[in-house]
Amino acid sequence: DAGVIQSPRHEVTEMGQEVTLRCKPISGHDYLFWYRQTMMRGLELLIYFNNNVPIDDSGMPEDRFSAKMPNASFSTLKIQPSEPRDSAVYFCASSLRGQTEKLFFGSGTQLSVL
Amino acid sequence: KQEVTQIPAALSVPEGENLVLNCSFTDSAIYNLQWFRQDPGKGLTSLLLIQSSQREQTSGRLNASLDKSSGRSTLYIAASQPGDSATYLCAVNQAGTALIFGKGTTLSVSS
């Protein structure tokens, strides 16, 4: 298996623009997680899905953030409109049976909002 | 509220040295604790997962221990190599919450 695949690897955009980050989890994994990593706050969970259904989105910072998982092999995280404080590395991770199991992370998307 | 702390934030050692990375957490009611490795520009790789009922886990040159009552875990790396240079993060898992991560210890092993 190729592991968790994220795209794009880098995204530079201007404040106010819409940003869409993409993730393909490992086949057969029922759980998908979106994390954000910054120097100040470290790694924070934004939202996670179980069998394509959002379970906990309490980490989503504002209504500007939204996430979808239309099928078992694809998820998106959208920021609209983007702001400079959204600049961070966004990771997608998947696991077989939730956070009590080993998580497998993608390589992340480095987002810079100017 | 659970807090996870890793000290030191950075560590430099010469090749061949045995070393210990520390992780402490404030609430001992955890399901498990995981140690991850993160290379620059890369995602996290799970190294070891210790269940709350376990005292330690081993994988190759790595040994992780857990003392739940004192809120501490250590990651022991034997005979360190330059390829071990990375950031090591620990994360605790509790009922009804997301994995809570420490901010990591950045290890540099010089040849």
Side-chain angles (χ1 to χ4, degrees), chain A residues 9 35 37 39-43 45 91 99-103 105-107, chain B residues 31-32 34 36 38 41-44 46-47 49 93 97-99 101 103:
Chain A
R9 288 297 312 275
Y35 285 88
Q37 186 177 38
M39 289 292 290
M40 286 294 294
R41 300 174 67 91
L43 264 167
L45 178 70
F91 288 104
Q99 295 192 90
T100 58
E101 303 281 328
K102 275 192 176 183
L103 295 189
F105 280 76
S107 297
Chain B
Y31 276 156
N32 60 46
Q34 296 189 52
F36 293 86
Q38 184 174 24
K42 301 283 182 64
L44 281 69
S46 180
L47 297 173
L49 185 154
N93 185 269
T97 70
L99 267 181
F101 284 83
K103 292 191 176 179

Side-chain angles (χ1 to χ4, degrees), chain A residues 9-102:
Chain A
R9 288 297 312 275
H10 303 276
E11 177 80 34
V12 180
T13 191
E14 292 188 348
M15 183 173 64
Q17 296 298 306
E18 177 179 295
V19 175
T20 299
L21 310 181
R22 297 173 177 79
C23 175
K24 176 179 167 53
I26 292 173
S27 176
H29 281 192
D30 290 339
Y31 285 78
L32 183 140
F33 307 84
W34 282 101
Y35 285 88
R36 178 171 67 176
Q37 186 177 38
T38 61
M39 289 292 290
M40 286 294 294
R41 300 174 67 91
L43 264 167
E44 300 173 291
L45 178 70
L46 299 176
I47 185 171
Y48 77 91
F49 296 83
N50 179 20
N51 291 322
N52 314 336
V53 176
I55 302 300
D56 182 358
D57 65 355
S58 60
M60 297 285 262
E62 299 171 35
D63 291 344
R64 298 183 296 105
F65 285 70
S66 62
K68 293 182 180 179
M69 191 164 186
N71 57 62
S73 59
F74 184 66
S75 176
T76 59
L77 178 67
K78 186 176 293 186
I79 308 172
Q80 166 62 22
S82 58
E83 296 183 3
R85 61 195 167 114
D86 301 331
S87 297
V89 182
Y90 291 81
F91 288 104
C92 176
S94 70
S95 74
L96 275 172
R97 287 182 291 272
Q99 295 192 90
T100 58
E101 303 281 328
K102 275 192 176 183

Side-chain angles (χ1 to χ4, degrees), chain B residues 1-5 23-27 71 92 94 100-102:
Chain B
K1 178 187 172 186
Q2 178 74 272
E3 292 184 3
V4 180
T5 304
C23 172
S24 61
F25 46 96
T26 54
D27 186 347
V92 299
Q94 289 188 285
I100 301 169
F101 284 83

